[in-house]
Amino acid sequence: MAIVIGITHTKGGTGKSTTAVNMSAGLAKKNKKVLLIDFDQQGTTSKFFGVHSDPEQNDTVLNLIESARYNPKNAILGVSDNLHLIPNHPFLNGYEPALINRENVNFFLKRQIDGLRDLFDYIIIDTAGADSYLFLHMVLRAVDDIIIPSKATNADLGELSVIYKNIALAMDDNPALVQPKLLLTQTISVSKKQKELIQEIASNQGVASKLFKQTIRNTASLANMRFKSFLGEDIGFVGGDVFSSDPGSPGAQDYEKFVAELMEMQA
Ligand SMILES: Nc1ncnc2c1ncn2[C@@H]1O[C@H](COP(=O)(O)OP(=O)(O)O)[C@@H](O)[C@H]1O
Ligand SMILES: [Mg+2]
């Protein structure tokens, strides 16, 4: 039975997609069967695996929210033996107005994800920043755990109150959200005072926060991961993850240790 983990933050550019991609590839390297779901219409995660979303494509993340019409299993692409991807759809956010008044819409994603749990050890969901609170709240109800990547700058830590507040709002529906996990990324230095500030911001919003011991350095190996940036360029399923694009680099080392800490936490 899969553990379902959402990678979320209400802020953009915090390292969500970089974490989703490398965490999924790192777990797959540890022989775990992983499904990575790209639930961001920008499709950053998909492009790291050479999939440039096509507006005409039928089997995408839309299968997970348009349940009456599509089968989620049809949207699963094989990246490698252990790693599978459900790609984004470039018009995902356009579906929000049609969905918003549907009964129990917050649980649509959960229903579909639960139907995939038997097939994987981990299901990782990458989400957008503040683009859609409907989709954020769907994710908050579908998961067993939340990982929030954040920079350790004071300006970015201040933004944490927004995601913690949203988690607190979803907690009645999903008690599993009791202790979201924070991963500091793109770090230059992290002070003791900043770590204390994180705990304080979380408890002010009514959630407990757990900080991963491992942090992810600000490093060129992560900034330069292979990426399918425009239509027509065919890089196939080479995997832009840091283990493929720059093995042994600082980024690969940090994400490998982070994955080990995560697996230990869940053991
Ligand atoms: N640890 C890191 N070191 C250097 N660059 C990073 C690191 N993590 C992410 N980046 C870069 O920062 C930008 C934002 O990261 P991304 O993962 O796309 O954030 P999000 O998904 O939260 O918007 C991207 O250009 C990415 O390549
Ligand atoms: Mg992203």
Side-chain angles (χ1 to χ4, degrees), residues 9 23 28 34-35 43 48 52 65 81 99 125 128-129 132 163 176 182 188 201 209 221 231 245 247 265-266:
H9 199 329
M23 175 179 156
V34 181
L35 174 64
F48 278 122
H52 201 302
I65 52 173
D81 281 354
L99 286 167
I125 312 173
S132 166
I163 182 65
L182 193 81
I188 300 162
I201 294 169
S209 170
S221 51
L231 203 62
S245 66
M265 210 177 256
Q266 246 114 27

Side-chain angles (χ1 to χ4, degrees), residues 97-153:
L99 286 167
I100 205 139
N101 289 322
R102 302 254 301 267
E103 202 177 331
N104 291 326
V105 66
N106 281 342
F107 293 92
F108 281 15
L109 182 67
K110 176 181 168 50
R111 228 177 282 151
Q112 298 294 68
I113 300 264
D114 283 348
L116 299 173
R117 278 185 191 254
D118 281 349
L119 303 174
F120 299 95
D121 297 314
Y122 285 88
I123 298 177
I124 315 290
I125 312 173
D126 183 26
T127 56
D131 288 4
S132 166
Y133 277 68
L134 172 63
F135 295 149
L136 169 65
H137 277 269
M138 280 189 186
V139 170
L140 291 178
R141 282 153 181 86
V143 298
D144 304 315
D145 215 341
I146 288 289
I147 294 176
I148 307 165
S150 175
K151 293 186 199 175
T153 64

Side-chain angles (χ1 to χ4, degrees), residues 9 11 150-160 194 197 201:
H9 199 329
K11 196 173 188 312
S150 175
K151 293 186 199 175
T153 64
N154 288 343
D156 278 52
L157 293 178
E159 290 294 318
L160 282 172
Q194 283 172 322
L197 181 66
I201 294 169

